[in-house]
Every structure is written in C-alpha cells, then in structure tokens.
Amino acid sequence: MSALRRSRSRVAVAGAALAAVLAVQGCTTTQDPATDRPGGLGPRLARLLDDLVQQHGFPAAQVTIDGPGGHRVLTAGAGDTVTGAPIGDGARVRIGSNTKTFVATVVLQLVAEGKVDLDAPIERYLPGVVRGNGNDGDRVTVRQLLQHTSGLPDYLASGDPAVPPDPGSPQLRPDAEKIRWAHYESADLVRIAMSMPPRFEPGARSVYTNTNYILLGMLIEAVTGRPAAAEITARILEPLGLRDTYFPDPGETTMRGPHPRGYQDIDGARADFTDLDPSWAGTAGAMVATPADLNRFFAAVLTGKLLPAAQVDQMRRTVPFDRGEPGAGYGLGLIRQPVSCGKEVWGHGGSIPGFETRNGVAVDGTVVVVVVNQLPADHAAADAVAQVFNAAICS
C-alpha cells in the first residue's frame, strides 16, 4: 500500500476495443448543474476524468466532492469492463493506506486517554516483538512508527518494476497469486520484517513503511484488549455513522455492497483483482469505504470531532518523507499535500491492487476523493490522477 505518490506499479493499458467503448461512454455527473456552466468546474473535471480513461488507460475514474458546495460526483469510464457499468455514486472501494489514518486516530485517542505515550518505546507495549537482525523495540518509539521514522524494514516489496524481484527476499509481493489468497496474522507480517536488518537509524529520516502500522494495530490490541478493527469500529465508524466503511473480517475475500471491479496488470494482461484476502495489508491498508464516508472521516479528524485539539496538532507536525509531491510532509498518519492554489490541504491516500484513492481536506471545508480502479501504469498516469485531485480541491 502507498500514500499519495508517483506510482511505480505496473498496469496494462486498455486495448483498442475497450478504449473505444469507454470513449463513447464518456463522463457522467450528479453534481449541481450550476457548476456545469461553460468554463466551470464540471466541464473541466469531466475533461480531466475522460483523459484518465482515454489517454492513460484507467478502466474508470471518479471524483467525489463534499463541502460548502454540497455533494457532487463525476464519473468516467467503466467500473466493470464486462458490463460497461460506471462506478456508482456511493459504491465501495478498497481504500488501501487510508487505513493508516484510522489507525493513527485510534492511537492518538489512546494518547489523549493517557493509555499510550507517544515517545515511549514500542517495547513497552509489545515486549519482544521488535527484535532480531539489529531491530530493537527499545530504540523505536510510538511516534516514530506513526511518522515512518522508525527505520524498520518493510515486509512488503516495493512494487517498482524497475527493481527486479530478489528471489531471496522474504518480502511479500501482493500481486502474486499465492499472496493474494493467503491469510496472514499481524505477527506473521512482523516476523517477515524482523528477518531483515533495519533500513536506517531510528529518527534519522522518514521512509514510508507498512510494518510501522502493522505494529500500531498490534499496539491498539495490546492496550485495549480488543482487535484494532473492533476499536476502529467503536471509536470512529459508529460515532460518525460511517455505515459503508468496514474492516474486512478474517478470511473475507469479497467486497460487501455495491462496488466496481478492481483491475491489476498480471504478466502484461489486465486481470480482475477485485477479490483477495487483504490480511497481508492488515492495519496498514485493508479497509473498504465509500468516497463519501472517506470524506466525512477526514473532515471529522481535521475539525476535532474525533480528537482533542492537542492530538490534532500532533498529527499535523510533519517531516519530509520519501513519497508524495514536492513539498509534501508526513505527520502522524496525515499528509500535508501541496496544491497549485496554495490552500492548506491534509489527507493521506492509498494504493492496493485494484484501486487507488487520492483524498484531502482543504481549510475552506472542501473535501475530495479521487478513485481509479486500476493502479497507474506510469508517472504520467499518476500525475494525471493528481491533476484531477488538484482541480477538484482548488475549485
């Protein structure tokens, strides 16, 4: 899973016949007609969404905007390449690393309750777990896990096609068929990580690492005595009424409710990758939500509906990190995202085989989620998704 970044994942571009179908289908909208005047937000976003499908090979793309202008949705392409049906307004998608912000929010709630110390070593809460090959839980703090400054190795491979797979590496490649259907416990994933040496000294820099958030999920369970998924549900989903958001049950491979299909390049061909066991993603990226629910969640985090002001302030203290646009910064499960109009924007984003989401909240109350149902094929495609997000958040 990744945060908002230039994707390095391989994806197949649509064939000529499919591209022709999508070009005819074009962009649909449920937004306020007043914004669809010539030169307005609607036509511009419609053109950008159509470009994602027709020029960059995504099966479908959707942008959902909430805030002062109400609820608006624009969609292009096919959420299902067999039926040609678009992504519906209110359809669920796999949200990948946006899961990390849910986890960070629960951890910071525990901090506010005096049950967790941000600057305590993870060894205090998970004795003996972060050990081996130079990894030392006495030297890694909760804050460093939240901010990706721990230096711990990642149990997931990079997914960069420019980096040949190391046949001797224990890292998981989630687009592999055997990984797709395998079930992993959090402890299994951490053991994979601990079989490798640290990447750098704790606190030296910030490198995005999924292992950090698997450990934070284990921390939540250790402190509360309940699974992290149950705490996320009780502390966030139920209070906010996010009925279309959930953490998959153990062994659950299909998606609940209305949802588009998600696609992945497998050996140069587009494959339906909607169904999978997301246990390899766990508390680093397994959750499912609608864009509208995701908008409500991020708005609630930033406006203090889930956390005291002191903890929101902690979340917004950023460091430079190795992903994202130039000028982006990683806080405690939140990313500060630079945009062309200069607005202050906070969000996260996520990638998982089948889906990518870009999202953020602007200080004026505008909240945006952009969804594509296949990972970008190259930097140009990733930049085109970013352009849609930028246009929507700067409206």
Side-chain angles (χ1 to χ4, degrees), residues 23 145 185 238 250 253 358 386:
L145 295 174
E185 299 293 335
E238 291 175 350
T253 59
R358 284 179 175 258

Side-chain angles (χ1 to χ4, degrees), residues 26-33 35-36 42 46 63 72-76 89:
C27 189
T28 61
T29 177
T30 59
Q31 72 177 115
D32 182 347
T35 65
D36 212 29
V63 59
R72 292 163 289 168
V73 179
L74 286 87
T75 303
D89 181 3

Side-chain angles (χ1 to χ4, degrees), residues 12-25:
V13 177
L18 177 58
V21 170
L22 301 185
V24 171
Q25 181 173 319

Side-chain angles (χ1 to χ4, degrees), residues 60-122:
Q62 183 185 78
V63 59
T64 301
I65 307 170
D66 290 292
H71 177 73
R72 292 163 289 168
V73 179
L74 286 87
T75 303
D80 184 326
T81 59
V82 174
T83 67
I87 301 177
D89 181 3
R92 291 167 171 163
V93 297
R94 296 193 189 276
I95 62 172
S97 285
N98 286 300
T99 303
K100 292 180 173 70
T101 311
F102 287 83
V103 171
T105 299
V106 172
V107 171
L108 285 160
Q109 287 176 341
L110 295 172
V111 170
E113 294 165 11
K115 298 174 182 176
V116 171
D117 181 346
L118 278 176
D119 295 308
I122 190 60

Side-chain angles (χ1 to χ4, degrees), residues 46-47 58 81 108 149 195 198 203 243 262-263 272 300 357 375 389:
R47 288 192 298 271
F58 293 103
T81 59
L108 285 160
T149 57
S195 71
R243 297 179 181 86
Y263 299 94
D272 189 324
T357 52
L375 297 180
F389 175 77

Side-chain angles (χ1 to χ4, degrees), residues 20-295:
V21 170
L22 301 185
V24 171
Q25 181 173 319
C27 189
T28 61
T29 177
T30 59
Q31 72 177 115
D32 182 347
T35 65
D36 212 29
R37 62 188 181 279
L41 173 65
R44 182 185 179 198
L45 276 179
R47 288 192 298 271
L48 291 173
L49 286 171
D50 283 338
D51 284 348
L52 289 181
V53 174
Q54 298 172 23
Q55 296 185 26
H56 296 287
F58 293 103
Q62 183 185 78
V63 59
T64 301
I65 307 170
D66 290 292
H71 177 73
R72 292 163 289 168
V73 179
L74 286 87
T75 303
D80 184 326
T81 59
V82 174
T83 67
I87 301 177
D89 181 3
R92 291 167 171 163
V93 297
R94 296 193 189 276
I95 62 172
S97 285
N98 286 300
T99 303
K100 292 180 173 70
T101 311
F102 287 83
V103 171
T105 299
V106 172
V107 171
L108 285 160
Q109 287 176 341
L110 295 172
V111 170
E113 294 165 11
K115 298 174 182 176
V116 171
D117 181 346
L118 278 176
D119 295 308
I122 190 60
E123 182 72 12
R124 177 186 297 181
Y125 307 103
L126 300 174
V129 172
V130 180
R131 280 284 181 271
N133 294 293
N135 299 293
D136 185 353
D138 279 317
R139 302 182 62 228
V140 173
T141 68
V142 175
R143 185 188 301 274
Q144 289 169 341
L145 295 174
L146 286 162
Q147 204 158 46
H148 296 300
T149 57
S150 71
L152 295 175
D154 204 331
Y155 68 91
L156 281 183
S158 70
D160 188 344
V163 180
D166 179 356
S169 173
Q171 290 177 306
L172 303 182
R173 302 188 73 87
D175 59 352
E177 195 69 10
K178 67 178 181 179
I179 305 302
R180 177 181 181 179
W181 301 114
H183 183 77
Y184 295 89
E185 299 293 335
S186 295
D188 299 328
L189 304 175
V190 173
R191 277 194 292 269
I192 292 171
M194 295 302 103
S195 71
M196 298 174 283
R199 301 164 85 174
F200 53 87
E201 283 293 306
R205 52 197 172 100
S206 179
V207 174
Y208 193 88
T209 306
N210 293 290
T211 306
N212 294 326
Y213 276 77
I214 299 298
L215 287 164
L216 290 166
M218 295 173 71
L219 163 67
I220 292 170
E221 181 167 357
V223 170
T224 66
R226 301 208 306 162
E231 290 296 309
I232 288 170
T233 300
R235 291 170 172 268
I236 299 174
L237 307 187
E238 291 175 350
L240 294 181
L242 304 182
R243 297 179 181 86
D244 295 317
T245 300
Y246 67 93
F247 203 107
D249 292 332
E252 185 174 7
T253 59
T254 59
M255 294 174 64
R256 306 173 197 171
H259 59 271
R261 310 305 294 176
Y263 299 94
Q264 176 76 0
D265 173 61
I266 303 295
D267 297 328
R270 175 177 284 159
D272 189 324
F273 221 80
T274 313
D275 298 336
L276 53 86
D277 186 330
S279 58
W280 59 264
T283 48
M287 290 181 68
V288 174
T290 62
D293 270 10
L294 208 52
N295 278 348

